[in-house]
Amino acid sequence: MYVADSRASTPGARASADGAARPEAGRRRAAIAPTVLALGTVSLVTDVSSEMVTAVLPLYLVTGLGLSPLGFGLLDGVYNGFSALVRLAGGHLADRGGGRHKWVAGLGYGVSALCKPLLLVAHSLTPIGLVLAADRTGKGLRTAPRDALISLSSTPESRGRAFGVHRAMDTAGALFGPLVAFLILRATVDGYDAVFTVSFCAAVFGVLVLVLFVPGGRRQGPDGGGGGGGERPTLRAAVGLLRRRDLRRITVCALLLGLATVSDSFVYLLLQRRLGVPDRWFALLPLGTAAAFLLLAVPLGRLADRVGRWAVFLGGHAALLLAYALLLTSWHGTPLPYVVLALHGGFYAATDGVLMAAASEGVPAALRSSGLAVVQTGQALARFACSLLFGAAWTVWGDRAALAGAVVALAACAAFSLTLRPKGTVPA
């Protein structure tokens, strides 16, 4: 079915004279907008596709193709950071097109879907790097418009919860993806090719769900967050958002903390080496992270709405710091992988959607997609640099020395971020 503009159709809310949504009297919490649920379904299906590839990619590249940690770090940096080059473009196109967030996001989902079968014919560093770069280009195009739709369809008081619901549905796909990859590897002889083929089919289905069930995203009025709903969505206005003190602080913190956030793939490789996990079980490691993310995303999103988004955001990085520290210890007990993966998933639950909810407060509705893209771009570029640096440090000094450096860097960046308290990250 097609739903109307999510703000007008959100149950439990009514529009005020300026078009902003206001909670109905007698309702303690507004219902989640249909747009959020539809986008959550798209993300769930798409993440089944993408996480199937992500789950087997480290083992495929390092064991199957024999890449060094430095070579893998380069490709992993491309996979996670290349989207930074196009996120601003995706955000600007969505805003400049009069609110055509759905169609820009759909273009991004389509590009990523088309890249999946190309992995079947790419067997060396250069072509694999090009395919991953194209795949991340699609992700860069879709991320900011999608998050802008979530932000614009939610009231400021429930925005953390809305992002939490979306991230929980998104993570359900991340939970099923590695499981499907594991089952395919166990059941087939040429397992990697089968994984890439099934991933492509799931990605195409996700695009169809977006086209059929997500509304177009044209705004009919400001959402009451950030003010300035009539500001023209020009490129200069988008870049000028960094003059806003709160958004600038959030962006700087996201960038600094991203510089010390080790890629998920490296975390799983470190766990495999510490515990001697057989190759056939490697694809199951992301399930622990995804399960914790799924269980904690909504509760931590609601907590962020109540106690302040900055406290929850920094608490997530504290959990990540503890996970790194456990990997550095000599403890080899049975609970180690469960504790590390639970902390890893808790980190994402406390930071991913919470950061977008916090950034939404200081951005006008007309520039919402561009403003979120600014924050996402800084974070993605930082994580790209971190993958390169960590891979190089692992190659030169070994995995433990590289992780020790990441622990020191993360602790320093978190301490600096603790001194900042953007206005939009605390409860009204």
Side-chain angles (χ1 to χ4, degrees):
M1 65 176 178
Y2 288 88
V3 295
D5 180 79
S6 54
R7 178 148 309 283
S9 62
T10 303
R14 64 171 182 268
S16 65
D18 63 355
R22 298 289 183 264
E24 280 185 3
R27 294 262 189 170
R28 296 187 62 183
R29 289 190 300 269
I32 296 300
T35 297
V36 176
L37 299 178
L39 286 169
T41 303
V42 174
S43 293
L44 188 156
V45 175
T46 302
D47 250 35
V48 170
S49 168
S50 62
E51 292 302 324
M52 286 175 63
V53 174
T54 301
V56 303
L57 198 60
L59 200 63
Y60 176 65
L61 296 175
V62 175
T63 303
L65 300 184
L67 291 182
S68 67
L70 177 58
F72 175 72
L74 175 62
L75 282 181
D76 191 71
V78 169
Y79 191 72
N80 291 294
F82 193 84
S83 61
L85 300 177
V86 293
R87 289 195 188 206
L88 288 174
H92 176 65
L93 286 174
D95 289 334
R96 190 64 180 267
R100 295 190 181 96
H101 301 88
K102 170 184 175 177
W103 304 114
V104 176
L107 175 63
Y109 281 111
V111 169
S112 294
L114 292 176
C115 290
K116 299 300 187 295
L118 296 180
L119 289 171
L120 295 170
V121 296
H123 298 291
S124 61
L125 183 63
T126 300
I128 290 176
L130 292 175
V131 172
L132 295 182
D135 179 76
R136 294 301 90 181
T137 297
K139 181 176 177 61
L141 285 174
R142 70 180 184 250
T143 301
R146 180 204 65 197
D147 285 348
L149 278 171
I150 297 170
S151 173
L152 291 168
S153 66
S154 310
T155 62
E157 297 81 8
S158 64
R159 197 163 283 145
R161 179 168 170 255
F163 274 102
V165 168
H166 173 268
R167 294 318 196 249
M169 297 179 71
D170 180 273
T171 307
L175 187 66
F176 290 123
L179 182 59
V180 173
F182 168 75
L183 294 175
I184 291 174
L185 289 176
R186 293 274 292 178
T188 59
V189 176
D190 195 5
Y192 292 117
D193 287 352
V195 168
F196 298 150
T197 302
V198 175
S199 173
F200 168 67
C201 296
V204 172
F205 182 66
V207 175
L208 292 176
V209 174
L210 175 77
V211 172
L212 295 176
F213 295 99
V214 176
R218 288 184 175 274
R219 292 180 300 273
Q220 298 182 11
D223 71 340
E231 189 168 347
R232 293 184 59 195
T234 63
L235 187 59
R236 177 177 295 182
V239 176
L241 289 171
L242 286 176
R243 290 195 294 266
R244 296 169 178 260
R245 181 187 177 197
D246 289 337
L247 185 65
R248 184 172 63 250
R249 287 188 170 192
I250 290 173
T251 304
V252 168
C253 288
L255 190 152
L256 289 176
L257 291 166
L259 282 172
T261 302
V262 176
S263 165
D264 298 356
S265 299
F266 279 124
V267 172
Y268 303 142
L269 286 172
L270 287 167
L271 263 179
Q272 186 199 31
R273 292 196 171 205
R274 281 285 307 274
L275 303 174
V277 177
D279 290 353
R280 66 180 182 274
W281 298 104
F282 182 84
L284 291 181
L285 291 178
L287 292 179
T289 297
F293 193 172
L294 175 64
L295 293 174
L296 296 174
V298 175
L300 289 180
R302 291 174 59 183
L303 181 66
D305 287 336
R306 296 180 59 187
V307 305
R309 288 157 191 160
W310 208 235
V312 175
F313 180 72
L314 293 179
H317 284 87
L320 184 65
L321 188 63
L322 181 56
Y324 291 169
L326 287 174
L327 287 173
L328 282 175
T329 65
S330 58
W331 181 36
H332 286 77
T334 303
L336 176 63
Y338 302 101
V339 175
V340 169
L341 294 176
L343 290 170
H344 197 224
F347 156 72
Y348 279 113
T351 58
D352 191 17
V354 171
L355 178 63
M356 292 297 96
S360 298
E361 298 301 322
V363 182
L367 291 169
R368 186 63 51 81
S369 185
S370 300
L372 297 184
V374 168
V375 180
Q376 293 166 356
T377 297
Q379 186 179 61
L381 284 173
R383 290 181 175 177
F384 173 79
C386 183
S387 287
L388 295 181
L389 292 173
F390 190 85
W394 186 335
T395 301
V396 176
W397 297 306
D399 54 351
R400 290 183 63 83
L403 186 58
V407 167
V408 173
L410 182 58
C413 292
F416 174 78
S417 300
L418 190 61
T419 65
L420 301 179
R421 196 174 178 82
K423 182 175 60 177
T425 62
V426 298

